[in-house]
Amino acid sequence: MSSAATPAAGHDPHELDGVPEGILAHHYSSLAAQNEAVRLGMWLFLATEILLFAGLFAGYAIYRFQFPEAFAEASRHLDLSLGTLNTFVLITSSFTVAMAIHFARTDRKNLAVACLIFTIACALGFLGIKSIEYMHKFQEGALPGPYYAFKEVTAPGAPMYFTIYFLTTGLHAVHVIIGMSVLIVLTFKTANGRFSSKYYTGLELGGLYWHLVDLVWIFLFPLLYLI
Amino acid sequence: MLQSIDGSPQTLAAPAEYTPYLKDGTTVMSWLNTRDHKRVGVMFLVLVTLGFFLGGIFALAIRIKLLQPGPFLYDAMTYNRLFTLHGIVMIFFFMIPAIPSGFGNFVLPLMIGARDVAFPRLNLASMYVYLLGASLALWGMIHGGVDTGWTFYTPYSSTTTTNAFPVILGLFIIGFSSIMTGLNFIVTVHTLRAPGMTWMRMPLFVWAVYGTSIIQVLATPVLGLALCVVGVENTLHFGLFDPTRGGDPLLFQHLFWFYSHPAVYIMVLPAMGVMSEVICAFSRKNAFGYNMIAYSSLGIAFVGFFAWGHHMFVTGQSSVNAGIFGVISMLVGVFTAIKVFNWVGTLYRGSISFNTPFLYACGFLYFVVFGGMTGIALATVSLDVHWHDTYFVIAHFHFVMVGAVIMGFLAGLHYWFPKMFGRTYHDGWGLVAGSLIILGFNATFIPQFLLGNAGMPRRYYEYPDQFQALNVASTAGATLLAFGLLIILVYLVVALVSGKRCEQNPWGSKGFEWMTQSPPSTHNFDVIPTITTGPHDYRTHTHSAAFGVHHV
Amino acid sequence: MNEFFRKLLFLPEQASSFAADVDHLHYFVMMTTVIMAAAVGLCALLFFAIYRRKSEAQTTPHIEPTLMIEAAFVSVPLILFLLWFAVGFRQFVEQDNPPADAIDVYVMAKKWMWKFNYPDGPNAVNVLRVPAGKPVRLLMTSQDVIHSFFVPEFRVKKDVNPGRYTQTWFTATIPGKYQILCSQYCGAGHSIMRGEVIVMPPAEYEAWLANLKRGIPNTQDGTPTPIENVAANTSLVEQGKRIAVEQGCVKCHTVNGERHIGPSWLDMYGRHEKMKTGEMITVDEGYMTESIMDPAAKIVDGFDNVMPSFQNKLAGPEIAALVEYMKSLQSDTVRNTPSEAPLYAPVH
């Protein structure tokens, strides 16, 4: 077991300067040990999220192999500019959330809050652009399975493309909403001074989750829009 | 006087009186809002026991109908719902969470010298998530039920008009409970071990639960996705698995079994962990081949992920597929064989006391070999062609799931009962009930192996007349089995209420969890011990009489 | 020996060419399983008897396995399991590869029945007739959900999936009747979705097949029912042509104008014919139908009363198809003369 940072003699390890009360749980020997634990926990959780999406990626691969023409043709009818804009928006938001953590770590609370708010705005922007895309699909009739009425792509298997499209982007959008809610909570906490150079783990974990949401999109975008 | 892990008395002054966790807050809210892993564990045990009896009622309803080959008691669609719900309740409400979330929660932190699990609030949340998912699924069962079989094969599950959606959603939610528990245990084992407890000094139960947790974390999300998509299919009919829309029904089977095969190791690995503890404790002997047993837990967890195709040998896949999955399934069997040989080796030159937990350990050894080897037999591809989807498969998985896992669960229950509640039960009744269960179980399921050989398929409401005799025999066995289980319920409840109070370590076990009070205080240890020896070390004697801490 | 184990393990009779081999592997695997399970359980009890706890103060030695023992624990089960796999997988590959000379039968499964189609002729519902001793390949698909074709006596099973074909094959060895059981859950009728394989000695099978092609229908299984006879997407004229061949009409009625036992069908529709009774009729749908059902009622002059009745042998749709076919046989020549009598002089 690693030797955790030992507090000075006579100090209760549960009374750390600059760290808000109640952060350190009683069953951890030190804050460093607790931070290590919560980071490991978060990475494990991210692994579960990756496996959740893995099944859908497998489905995409299988049906793409089965209907290559339909998938290629349908993909060309997606709105590439909106998709690219969304990618840009998400990557920017990942950058701003990383900046927020940096500012919190260097005790610049107001800049941290500003970055977080910008991140949330990007998330909202992503969802907004996605809704526009979805509305286009509804109007064109490019819908899954039995609801398919998209006259421009008639190759066999085209409805399957849109089934996969809606399932993957839908599940991703759910995760964007979850991530956004987490970031909203973290914004309030940052504004209330919870995070500082002494302790910023909660913000770090929220940022990690947001990076995962971004990462899933980085994989989705080329598979759905580019190839 | 407290003893530290290596048996030497501690010199720290410790209060002879203390507040056991059961008495630390006696309001309902103190239980519902607890952070104490022990209380969460006890609440889980209550919930999974309720689930077990519900699933058992469904089982008896099925077996009674099967006394007659033709229509009897109720109609075919009711029967179809009953076997579906039996499977769902038993697997998701009991088998998956019982030992990890029940005993694992209670005992694992004690075993590694920690005061709690890594994330106590997440632990409590996992219980509420379990309750939410179970309630939703139960609501669906009451309002129409579902008839697809717990395997939800498409396209039948996409087109059934029974009330599948709430059940599917309920199971999706319950999956999160499993993920939370697994995540919690992995982090606990990595970060909260007491000073001096290296990986190779961990008790074997911890190794088993650690392997289980890896499977829970990595496999359950894939089930979540599979259920999610089936739910969408059943309600919105997108056609992902509909061949008329270019979908592939077999894709569902791959997604489903990718979870559900590792899931059976979620069920059996913790039981194996209990076995290691019980065999060592009741033969007062070190584990023969500790390293092998520890690594084989990881081996089962890892290799088990790649064997799922053996559920699909007759689906029309290529024989190359069959070959690969068959070989990998054989490898998993080798890990189990290693454990069995090592457990028997542990008994050699031990100092064995035949108490109820030990009876269950003997039963477990028999059942895990029989059940496990019939699993290997099924993986011998050509034999599976005859046996697939017949009662042979049912008998195989009941041997390992009920036979082995229930033996593990009951062994753990009887071993740790004094630890959890500070009372003892009547060991004689324990032996009687255990014997009835072992006998009743054999009487129920050996006829089912023969039924499968004779060609009776699964999920048959009506069956050809020639299968009746074996069905009647099986139902008779099931009645005996049920009777044995009910006896346990009775004497354990009596013991809870008025059983004799026991000392700290009534079994004289060297398990680390016995080095603190029975029942423990809320914070487990007054002082976190420093570990200096390996587990299950019986070269020195443990004076159970020297443990003199009685609770108030 | 084989029979002893087969009965002990409740296995059904071995009625296909690979059943015996599969069963031999089965005996080996199951006997080893039962023996090992009993041995382990008994060993535990034996060790209890020998190493019973003598006193509370008893301690035990710390024993670790040697490298040899560890190697044995790993290699013995590994070799045994891989040996079983090698034998079993070989058998599976054989079961997966039908011989080139197999008779093909198309199987269509739907809730909750089996339909069997032979490429060159009859089809049947729920009954599959096969010759003994010849390999039969089944090409199977489902119309709705996943089913599974299982014949215990043959040790044969294969899932039947919608949207794709699966294949399996067997060589039935013992004539008799064997149950087909659906073994993939498919709803309310899953447990009653049964069928029958009738294995016939080769000579009998050939006779049955020839019988069916001759057009003399059997009254029991194997008969093409009126509904089976007509494929939904062929025209009535084509169906009629098929029926005319199958029922043997063309043995007596030519379609090219040549004289033969019965009037030629070419240009028959709309013709004015003189009956034996002297009555003149116009050949229309009514007359054609009546002639099929009750040929003796109105016989064309110059022909004999030798046509058999097809009453109860042909259903309405089939007669309609025949009539349409006959109507379609028109040549460009305009012919007003009555049918010429056959070339032979009837024996008085």
Side-chain angles (χ1 to χ4, degrees), chain A residues 6-210:
Chain A
T6 42
H11 266 213
D12 177 358
H14 291 73
E15 234 180 65
L16 293 167
D17 309 314
V19 176
E21 254 208 66
I23 291 281
L24 182 60
H26 76 285
H27 57 291
Y28 285 101
S29 57
S30 69
L31 187 59
Q34 182 177 295
N35 284 342
E36 189 193 326
V38 296
R39 276 192 208 112
L40 176 61
M42 191 62 193
W43 280 104
L44 283 170
F45 179 63
L46 296 184
T48 69
E49 292 280 43
I50 290 175
L51 278 151
L52 183 73
F53 279 93
L56 279 175
F57 280 104
Y60 171 89
I62 288 168
Y63 288 128
R64 190 179 182 111
F65 182 74
Q66 237 178 318
F67 305 115
E69 297 91 10
F71 270 55
E73 210 189 319
S75 150
R76 280 193 288 278
H77 282 82
L78 286 186
D79 198 325
L80 186 58
S81 41
L82 286 183
T84 311
L85 180 60
N86 254 349
T87 309
F88 181 69
V89 163
L90 268 190
I91 294 180
T92 308
S93 69
S94 263
F95 173 69
T96 50
V97 80
M99 288 311 292
I101 296 169
H102 170 73
F103 288 131
R105 247 178 38 205
T106 49
D107 290 312
R108 286 182 278 178
K109 185 179 85 173
N110 293 329
L111 281 170
V113 171
C115 282
L116 280 171
I117 292 177
F118 192 84
T119 311
I120 294 167
C122 286
L124 280 167
F126 178 90
L127 290 172
I129 297 169
K130 207 86 211 100
S131 341
I132 296 174
E133 280 193 82
Y134 274 18
M135 272 200 318
H136 279 175
K137 300 273 166 313
F138 275 90
Q139 282 159 2
E140 287 169 336
L143 294 171
Y147 312 106
Y148 187 74
F150 191 30
K151 296 187 188 44
E152 297 188 35
V153 182
T154 50
M160 188 58 75
Y161 176 85
F162 288 101
T163 306
I164 300 271
Y165 172 84
F166 277 102
L167 282 173
T168 46
T169 56
L171 189 63
H172 179 255
V174 165
H175 283 80
V176 170
I177 295 173
I178 295 172
M180 202 172 69
S181 321
V182 167
L183 288 173
I184 291 174
V185 169
L186 285 174
T187 309
F188 280 108
K189 288 194 167 172
T190 313
N192 285 339
R194 189 170 175 79
F195 303 117
S196 67
S197 54
K198 297 286 198 310
Y199 171 77
Y200 52 91
T201 314
L203 199 54
E204 221 181 358
L205 299 187
L208 267 179
Y209 188 77
W210 191 251

Side-chain angles (χ1 to χ4, degrees), chain B residues 368-445:
Chain B
V368 87
V369 175
F370 205 133
M373 285 185 82
T374 48
I376 295 296
L378 284 161
T380 319
V381 207
S382 62
L383 298 180
D384 183 55
V385 172
H386 182 61
W387 282 327
H388 176 74
D389 250 335
T390 64
Y391 265 79
F392 189 93
V393 178
I394 295 186
H396 155 68
F397 65 67
H398 281 89
F399 256 76
V400 273
M401 291 214 277
V402 183
V405 179
I406 295 278
M407 291 286 117
F409 179 82
L410 293 173
L413 183 61
H414 287 78
Y415 177 47
W416 285 310
F417 190 88
K419 179 94 250 159
M420 294 195 286
F421 305 113
R423 295 179 190 266
T424 50
Y425 51 85
H426 199 296
D427 202 42
W429 277 111
L431 291 170
V432 165
S435 310
L436 281 177
I437 289 172
I438 291 174
L439 272 165
F441 181 84
N442 277 303
T444 311
F445 291 104

Side-chain angles (χ1 to χ4, degrees), chain C residues 244-318:
Chain C
V245 170
E246 278 184 5
Q247 296 299 327
C249 312
V250 295
K251 290 201 179 75
C252 298
H253 297 276
T254 63
V255 297
N256 58 1
E258 267 183 75
R259 292 162 169 175
H260 201 39
I261 302 167
S264 175
W265 285 352
L266 185 65
D267 294 334
M268 186 174 70
Y269 181 69
R271 206 186 303 161
H272 300 289
E273 292 275 13
K274 183 165 155 223
M275 302 289 108
K276 261 185 151 48
T277 54
E279 183 193 354
M280 284 297 284
I281 56 105
T282 309
V283 176
D284 60 356
E285 287 88 349
Y287 172 71
M288 289 193 272
T289 307
E290 191 194 39
S291 296
I292 296 173
M293 305 298 253
D294 186 10
K298 293 195 182 74
I299 300 181
V300 176
D301 192 27
F303 292 88
D304 284 315
N305 182 7
V306 293
M307 175 170 164
S309 161
F310 286 87
Q311 180 112 31
N312 294 328
K313 297 211 174 89
L314 290 174
E318 289 173 297

Side-chain angles (χ1 to χ4, degrees), chain C residues 23-57:
Chain C
D23 280 4
H24 292 153
L25 179 62
H26 183 140
Y27 306 151
F28 181 18
V29 170
M30 281 312 288
M31 287 302 123
T32 313
T33 300
V34 173
I35 291 170
M36 282 306 298
V40 166
L42 287 171
C43 199
L45 295 173
L46 180 72
F47 278 170
F48 161 66
I50 301 175
Y51 302 110
R52 210 176 351 219
R53 187 173 303 167
K54 309 284 191 306
S55 82
E56 263 306 298

Side-chain angles (χ1 to χ4, degrees), chain B residues 45-56:
Chain B
L45 280 175
V46 171
L47 289 173
V48 302
T49 306
L50 287 171
F52 181 72
F53 280 105
L54 180 63

Side-chain angles (χ1 to χ4, degrees), chain C residues 81-330:
Chain C
F81 296 164
L82 288 177
L83 170 69
W84 288 347
F85 173 77
V87 177
F89 183 61
R90 212 134 178 242
Q91 291 176 351
F92 181 78
V93 171
E94 194 204 325
Q95 285 172 318
D96 220 28
N97 289 302
D101 61 336
I103 302 166
D104 285 343
V105 180
Y106 287 87
V107 181
M108 163 83 81
K110 71 186 268 313
K111 294 178 187 173
W112 289 283
M113 59 161 72
W114 301 95
K115 292 195 209 171
F116 302 102
N117 279 66
Y118 297 77
D120 56 343
N123 39 29
V125 175
N126 287 337
V127 177
L128 171 66
R129 283 174 186 266
V130 296
K134 296 219 173 58
V136 174
R137 176 169 73 145
L138 300 178
L139 294 152
M140 311 188 280
T141 188
S142 163
Q143 266 183 329
D144 41 32
V145 295
I146 303 181
H147 300 276
S148 192
F149 181 90
F150 176 40
V151 182
E153 288 84 352
F154 296 169
R155 314 289 187 274
V156 151
K157 184 185 290 113
K158 199 61 144 205
D159 278 5
V160 180
N161 299 317
R164 57 169 71 181
Y165 272 95
T166 50
Q167 75 172 19
T168 189
W169 75 279
F170 56 86
T171 302
T173 47
I174 305 175
K177 292 191 184 189
Y178 305 101
Q179 241 182 352
I180 301 169
L181 299 154
C182 175
S183 56
Q184 185 64 248
Y185 177 69
C186 51
H190 169 58
S191 55
I192 50 173
M193 183 170 164
R194 317 246 182 103
E196 198 171 50
V197 182
I198 300 182
V199 180
M200 311 165 79
E204 251 184 65
Y205 175 79
E206 294 302 326
W208 169 75
L209 207 56
N211 221 8
L212 238 53
K213 288 185 181 157
R214 204 173 293 132
I216 300 170
N218 299 319
T219 51
Q220 304 239 324
D221 37 74
T223 324
T225 61
I227 306 147
E228 309 295 344
N229 240 341
V230 295
N233 53 1
T234 55
S235 70
L236 269 181
V237 170
E238 280 163 47
Q239 292 166 24
K241 186 170 175 187
R242 229 194 76 213
I243 294 168
V245 170
E246 278 184 5
Q247 296 299 327
C249 312
V250 295
K251 290 201 179 75
C252 298
H253 297 276
T254 63
V255 297
N256 58 1
E258 267 183 75
R259 292 162 169 175
H260 201 39
I261 302 167
S264 175
W265 285 352
L266 185 65
D267 294 334
M268 186 174 70
Y269 181 69
R271 206 186 303 161
H272 300 289
E273 292 275 13
K274 183 165 155 223
M275 302 289 108
K276 261 185 151 48
T277 54
E279 183 193 354
M280 284 297 284
I281 56 105
T282 309
V283 176
D284 60 356
E285 287 88 349
Y287 172 71
M288 289 193 272
T289 307
E290 191 194 39
S291 296
I292 296 173
M293 305 298 253
D294 186 10
K298 293 195 182 74
I299 300 181
V300 176
D301 192 27
F303 292 88
D304 284 315
N305 182 7
V306 293
M307 175 170 164
S309 161
F310 286 87
Q311 180 112 31
N312 294 328
K313 297 211 174 89
L314 290 174
E318 289 173 297
I319 296 177
L322 273 170
V323 167
E324 285 305 307
Y325 174 57
M326 288 190 262
K327 279 163 70 175
S328 73
L329 293 166
Q330 308 271 346

Side-chain angles (χ1 to χ4, degrees), chain B residues 277-285 346-362 411 414-415 425 427-428 431 505-509 538 544, chain C residues 44-58 60:
Chain B
E277 297 297 320
V278 165
I279 288 180
C280 290
F282 287 85
S283 62
R284 294 218 177 141
K285 178 93 177 356
T346 304
L347 296 175
Y348 174 69
R349 294 182 67 189
S351 161
I352 306 176
S353 167
F354 206 103
N355 301 97
T356 306
F358 188 76
L359 171 66
Y360 285 121
C362 293
H414 287 78
Y415 177 47
Y425 51 85
D427 202 42
L431 291 170
N505 190 356
W507 307 116
S509 165
Y538 290 90
S544 37
Chain C
L45 295 173
L46 180 72
F47 278 170
F48 161 66
I50 301 175
Y51 302 110
R52 210 176 351 219
R53 187 173 303 167
K54 309 284 191 306
S55 82
E56 263 306 298
Q58 190 180 1
T60 55

